[in-house]
Amino acid sequence: MRFHIMTLFPEIFHSYMNESIMKRAVEKETIEVFVYNIREFSNNKHKKVDDYPFGGGAGMLMTPQPIYDTYKHIIETHNIKNSRVIYLTPKGEVHNQEIATSMSKEEDIILLCGHYEGIDQRIIDLIVTDEISIGDYVLTGGELPALILIDSISRLIPGVLNQNESFEEESFKDNLLEYPHYTRPREFMNLEVPEVLLSGNHKKIEEWRKEESLKVTKERRPDLYKKACK
Ligand code: ADE
């Protein structure tokens, strides 16, 4: 899988992709990450990338030319015929595990990080295929949301996680939140590990975990619980 990121702040990505599981995935070439500085594609002699909104109003907008030329450069240099182009915006569809799973099957994903008050609508009309939000709050830019997308997608690509890091049993599988986990010691600060987990009875353990998953999902996420019971 190749991620192509259009941003005004490339350094943010270099540091994150150079740590932990992401670093390993890049080294193994399971994922490739290409970062493009939109400013470098500006035709303006001062490399300007923003301007005032027509019709007035607060703040600046990212102008279309540098973004469009960055996009053209990406698809031409990588010979991309058909790729999802994701614009990170609080106006988008709220990200979830299902979206991450569907995106993990793509060969190329192009991400567009906005700044200031947003981008010219014509860029959205011309090149964007998906508008995605990471939650109902507003951030200063699309870089953190893009990293969240990349992380959530990458860990679903075969070979990125090892066996111990498996995602077979985790939150959002079958719309359920995860059951509680315990490790050594058996007693900590007078709190004991639930007896059933020490029983060696795998069927009972599985039943207990399912019940705990249902309980926590019902309490915290009635919206998911409804889907899980369907
Ligand atoms: N840019 C600013 N806020 C955002 C959000 N919540 N999700 C995605 N992109 C954003």
Side-chain angles (χ1 to χ4, degrees), residues 17-33:
M17 299 314 294
N18 213 6
E19 298 290 345
S20 184
I21 294 173
M22 285 298 156
K23 180 176 182 177
R24 196 179 65 200
V26 171
E27 281 170 356
K28 284 206 297 189
E29 294 179 19
T30 324
I31 62 171
E32 287 180 272
V33 181

Side-chain angles (χ1 to χ4, degrees), residues 87-92 114 132-146:
Y87 173 47
L88 288 314
T89 166
K91 277 167 73 178
I132 298 287
S133 163
I134 57 152
D136 292 342
Y137 42 84
V138 181
L139 300 165
T140 55
E143 283 73 17
L144 287 174

Side-chain angles (χ1 to χ4, degrees), residues 68 71 121-128:
Y68 192 73
Y71 168 74
Q121 179 63 34
R122 288 164 294 183
I123 281 296
I124 298 172
D125 300 342
L126 280 168
I127 67 169
V128 170

Side-chain angles (χ1 to χ4, degrees), residues 202-218:
H202 294 294
K203 189 162 172 284
K204 277 224 165 106
I205 292 172
E206 210 178 293
E207 282 167 8
W208 180 85
R209 286 178 167 166
K210 181 79 194 244
E211 260 171 48
E212 291 293 318
S213 271
L214 284 164
K215 202 164 83 186
V216 68
T217 310
K218 189 175 182 185

